[in-house]
Amino acid sequence: MESVIPTAPEQPADEKDNQIKSPDQRPDAPPDYNSHFVPGPPGPAVPAPAGYAGGFPMGYNSPQQPGTFFPYQPAGGAHPIQYQPGKYHMSNQPVSVTWMPGPPPIPNCPPGLEYLTQLDTIHVLQHFEPLEMITSFETNNGYDIKNNLDQMVYIVNEDTDDFTRNAYRTLRPFVLRVTDCMGREIMTMQRPFRCTCCCFCCPSTRQELEVQCPPGVTIGFVAEHWNLCRAVYSVQNEKKENVMRVRGPCSTYGCGSDSVFEVKSLDGVSNIGSIIRKWNGLLSAMGDADQFEIHFPLDMDVKMKAMIFGACFLIDFMYFERSPRRSSR
């Protein structure tokens, strides 16, 4: 008797096609994600803070609670696809940044400064630009503003044309734009050009910084005072009335140690806060990537916090900004 070998039942043709077209199961193959973006309804309107008639300035939206993670998105409007860290490396992959949660609007507080009401210490981290050291071409400065939890609070970018930056170098007039996590410009700092080659004791040659918050509304000035051996500044209100003083060390170019600028009362008795330029080793000695630490009282008026914050940048440009060396022929 002939043995009969059982055979599997014949499968339909469509099932065979499904087996042939099965997805690649190799571990190195990236997953096939389908992104469907559906915009949600607009957020509720938020009333303007007290003391600011007419609502928020043009270009401001209602403050919203930002997410904990806010990704840098590339230009072009494309939605970024984030892969598992360490896998599927992509050079243009957006980097997630942890932002400080946005506080609610506060009466009599300029829009965007609500963050400062919750802080007594902020860190100013300048971006390192290796292109400046290689090409001797001065680029716009950029800074990250963070809190003690390493959460991003603001981003500061210089807005100065190429000719002005490279012609005047560290003496250049500049405009610094401070933006929050929503990309809104909440503060503008302007430094006019002052020639310092004539007479240092002449009032017209002293450096000055104007702070506007919101942009277009001046809240104060930081004015330099002539001193033989140390940096001295006055922090003024919008009427140019002196409110505080900033007193620097005798040697601001200390090597291997921090440079402390004390914020004091007008009589010089009370110590209000400090602006500390941190020594960062090799980067501080050779590169142009300064780091500052600003301290002020937690219950201090938010406008005065913003003025001390602005004084930090005038100090950076005057004493710690290094222009790239020009090639000599």
Side-chain angles (χ1 to χ4, degrees), residues 129 131-139 165-166 169-170 172 288 321-327:
E129 297 291 346
L131 185 64
E132 290 186 357
M133 302 180 62
I134 298 174
T135 63
S136 298
F137 182 84
E138 187 77 30
T139 60
R165 288 195 314 271
N166 290 274
R169 298 288 172 163
T170 59
R172 64 184 182 264
D288 190 12
E321 179 74 7
R322 293 179 176 85
S323 296
R325 294 181 179 179
R326 298 177 183 268
S327 59

Side-chain angles (χ1 to χ4, degrees), residues 102-285:
I106 300 176
N108 300 322
C109 177
L113 293 189
E114 298 89 354
Y115 294 92
L116 297 183
T117 61
Q118 302 180 356
L119 300 175
D120 59 359
T121 302
I122 54 179
H123 302 268
V124 179
L125 310 175
Q126 183 178 359
H127 299 170
F128 176 64
E129 297 291 346
L131 185 64
E132 290 186 357
M133 302 180 62
I134 298 174
T135 63
S136 298
F137 182 84
E138 187 77 30
T139 60
N140 278 318
N141 285 1
Y143 305 83
D144 291 340
I145 314 302
K146 297 185 177 182
N147 58 14
N148 281 334
L149 300 178
D150 202 35
Q151 295 174 332
M152 193 81 76
V153 182
Y154 299 123
I155 294 178
V156 180
N157 289 306
E158 181 185 359
D159 186 6
T160 310
D161 61 272
D162 295 340
F163 173 79
T164 302
R165 288 195 314 271
N166 290 274
Y168 297 98
R169 298 288 172 163
T170 59
L171 293 178
R172 64 184 182 264
F174 61 76
V175 175
L176 296 178
R177 306 190 185 277
V178 184
T179 56
D180 62 2
C181 64
M182 307 297 293
R184 304 173 302 176
E185 183 179 349
I186 57 98
M187 185 190 306
T188 302
M189 293 177 280
Q190 299 182 359
R191 174 199 186 186
F193 174 73
R194 297 291 175 85
C195 180
T196 59
C197 60
C198 300
C199 180
F200 290 99
C201 59
C202 181
S204 62
T205 63
R206 298 173 189 171
Q207 299 297 315
E208 185 181 77
L209 180 76
E210 179 184 358
V211 180
Q212 300 176 0
C213 185
V217 179
T218 302
I219 65 173
F221 299 86
V222 180
E224 178 194 15
H225 285 266
W226 184 84
N227 191 280
L228 185 60
C229 64
R230 66 174 71 242
V232 179
Y233 301 89
S234 288
V235 178
Q236 304 171 342
N237 57 17
E238 66 276 8
K239 300 179 181 179
K240 287 200 170 184
E241 299 172 343
N242 295 337
V243 180
M244 297 176 292
R245 289 189 180 273
V246 179
R247 187 171 179 267
C250 290
S251 176
T252 57
Y253 300 95
C255 181
S257 61
D258 299 341
S259 298
V260 181
F261 294 77
E262 299 176 343
V263 181
K264 292 182 172 291
S265 57
L266 289 179
D267 55 11
V269 177
S270 302
N271 191 9
I272 300 176
S274 62
I275 302 173
I276 305 174
R277 189 258 190 172
K278 307 294 292 183
W279 174 254
N280 196 24
L282 187 61
L283 285 179
S284 297

Side-chain angles (χ1 to χ4, degrees), residues 30-56:
D32 184 14
Y33 291 131
N34 293 324
S35 176
H36 301 282
F37 175 76
V38 179
V46 179
Y52 286 86
F56 293 99

